[in-house]
């Protein structure tokens, strides 16, 4: 054999690389449950038949307190606080405020996040849309209008609102017309009666707040009341009363100045 003859060479076979072991499945994210020793538990102090859901199923929603109704709405509490304790804190807050709560306000309560705050606001809005529209309140005297004017109390700016009324003096809708400065609100008959025409109302009741807390009408209040009453007579949509409301009470300008409302149908 000649030394220059090439020697045949065979490449070794490469073994396939081993496959990596599969990763274990990721755990399903769940909200951590607090240990019993650190949880403020009001439910555990109650017999199971007195728990809010069980009580509602047995006695109806009307038998539940505000705290229990909120507990049913929430469904569960949060770390360190069970649902009934959390609902109690929200109830105390809602009973103290003088204005409708906002999403930001509710989220400031410890234990109330975006989701629960939205639940509260949705429940309040549904109540306003369905119950107040289906069961209209008939205004027989000035104080009957106060449930619709609660948002004016405690406001830091003077706000002007109008209740549109049907032929039976039942409230059609409540409208916030203007939000003014700290001590005055610009009122014009055009904006005031536009909502009445839209609602096909046969009368209106006007109201505004005094941030100062005074229940005495100012000179501007009397001038605007006369202008609104005159405009109402021309349009055939009389101004039935003008209320001043504060956190402490209210004043009816019709009771104090009946001559301003000549021609307006009585309650």
């Amino acid at each position: 054999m000649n030394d220059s003859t090439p020697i045949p060479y065979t490449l070794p076979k490469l073994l396939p690389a081993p496959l990596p072991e599969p990763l274990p499945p990721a755990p399903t994210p769940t909200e951590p449950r607090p240990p019993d020793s650190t949880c403020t538990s009001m439910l555990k102090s109650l017999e199971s038949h007195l728990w809010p859901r069980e009580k509602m199923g047995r006695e109806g929603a009307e038998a539940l307190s505000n705290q229990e109704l909120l507990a049913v709405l929430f469904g569960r509490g949060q770390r360190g606080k069970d649902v009934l304790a959390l609902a109690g804190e929200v109830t105390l807050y809602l009973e103290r405020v003088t204005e409708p709560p906002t999403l930001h306000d509710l989220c400031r309560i410890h234990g109330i996040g975006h989701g629960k705050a939205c639940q509260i606001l949705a429940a309040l809005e549904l109540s306003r849309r369905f119950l107040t529209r289906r069961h209209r309140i008939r205004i027989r005297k000035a104080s009957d209008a106060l449930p619709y004017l609660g948002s004016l109390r405690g406001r830091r700016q003077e706000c002007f609102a109008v209740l549109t009324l049907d032929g039976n003096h039942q409230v059609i809708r409540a409208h916030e017309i203007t939000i003014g400065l700290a001590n005055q609100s610009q009122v014009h008959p055009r904006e005031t009666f536009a909502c009445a025409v839209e609602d096909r109302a046969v009368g209106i009741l006007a109201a505004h707040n005094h941030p100062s807390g005074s229940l005495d009408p100012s000179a501007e209040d009397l001038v605007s009341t006369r202008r609104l009453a005159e405009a109402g007579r021309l349009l055939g949509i009389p101004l039935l009363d003008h209320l001043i409301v504060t956190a402490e009470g209210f004043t009816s300008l019709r009771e104090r100045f009946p001559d301003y409302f000549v021609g307006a149908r009585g309650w």
Side-chain angles (χ1 to χ4, degrees):
M1 176 180 293
N2 192 336
D3 292 339
S4 63
T5 303
I7 301 173
Y9 179 78
T10 304
L11 293 173
K13 292 184 179 180
L14 298 178
L15 297 177
L19 296 176
E21 295 184 2
L23 296 174
T28 303
T30 57
E31 185 175 336
R33 287 291 209 177
D36 294 343
S37 59
T38 63
C39 183
T40 303
S41 179
M42 299 179 66
L43 283 177
K44 288 188 176 181
S45 64
L46 299 175
E47 298 291 337
S48 60
H49 69 279
L50 295 177
W51 291 355
R53 285 183 179 177
E54 286 69 17
K55 184 177 178 181
M56 177 181 284
R58 186 177 62 257
E59 301 179 32
E62 63 277 4
L64 272 62
S65 67
N66 294 337
Q67 179 183 5
E68 291 170 329
L69 289 171
L70 280 172
V72 173
L73 183 67
F74 293 158
R76 63 185 302 177
Q78 54 97 37
R79 185 175 182 83
K81 193 181 303 178
D82 76 0
V83 66
L84 203 54
L86 180 61
E89 293 187 12
V90 177
T91 301
L92 290 176
Y93 168 78
L94 293 176
E95 290 174 348
R96 288 197 305 263
V97 296
T98 57
E99 299 181 28
T102 66
L103 187 67
H104 176 72
D105 293 335
L106 293 171
C107 288
R108 295 174 63 184
I109 302 174
H110 179 66
I112 297 298
H114 182 83
K116 284 186 171 60
C118 288
Q119 285 178 294
I120 297 171
L121 294 179
L124 294 175
E125 180 62 17
L126 284 171
S127 298
R128 186 191 69 80
R129 291 186 185 184
F130 288 98
L131 297 183
T132 58
R133 291 184 183 181
R134 292 180 181 178
H135 305 284
R136 293 179 178 175
I137 295 177
R138 183 177 180 182
I139 307 298
R140 296 183 173 87
K141 55 186 182 299
S143 60
D144 292 339
L146 295 181
Y148 288 92
L149 304 173
S151 63
L152 296 180
R153 298 184 175 189
R155 299 282 284 270
R156 296 180 181 179
Q157 292 179 305
E158 189 166 299
C159 304
F160 183 80
V162 166
L163 302 183
T164 54
L165 308 175
D166 64 16
N168 292 321
H169 287 177
Q170 292 178 323
V171 177
I172 301 173
R173 288 179 65 190
H175 301 264
E176 190 171 275
I177 305 299
T178 62
I179 300 177
L181 304 176
N183 59 356
Q184 63 180 352
S185 176
Q186 300 297 324
V187 180
H188 194 281
R190 179 178 58 250
E191 287 77 19
T192 302
F193 285 94
C195 59
V197 173
E198 180 182 354
D199 292 349
R200 299 184 179 181
V202 300
I204 65 169
L205 183 147
H208 75 280
N209 65 312
H210 277 178
S212 64
S214 172
L215 290 173
D216 294 324
S218 65
E220 291 80 6
D221 293 338
L222 299 181
V223 170
S224 64
T225 301
R226 283 188 171 183
R227 290 180 64 195
L228 293 177
E230 292 172 0
R233 283 192 287 270
L234 291 174
L235 292 171
I237 307 175
L239 174 68
L240 300 178
D241 205 342
H242 186 175
L243 305 184
I244 299 172
V245 298
T246 71
E248 304 301 326
F250 75 98
T251 291
S252 166
L253 295 189
R254 179 169 184 156
E255 293 178 1
R256 295 183 60 175
F257 304 94
D259 292 345
Y260 287 16
F261 300 88
V262 172
R265 176 183 168 188
W267 299 121

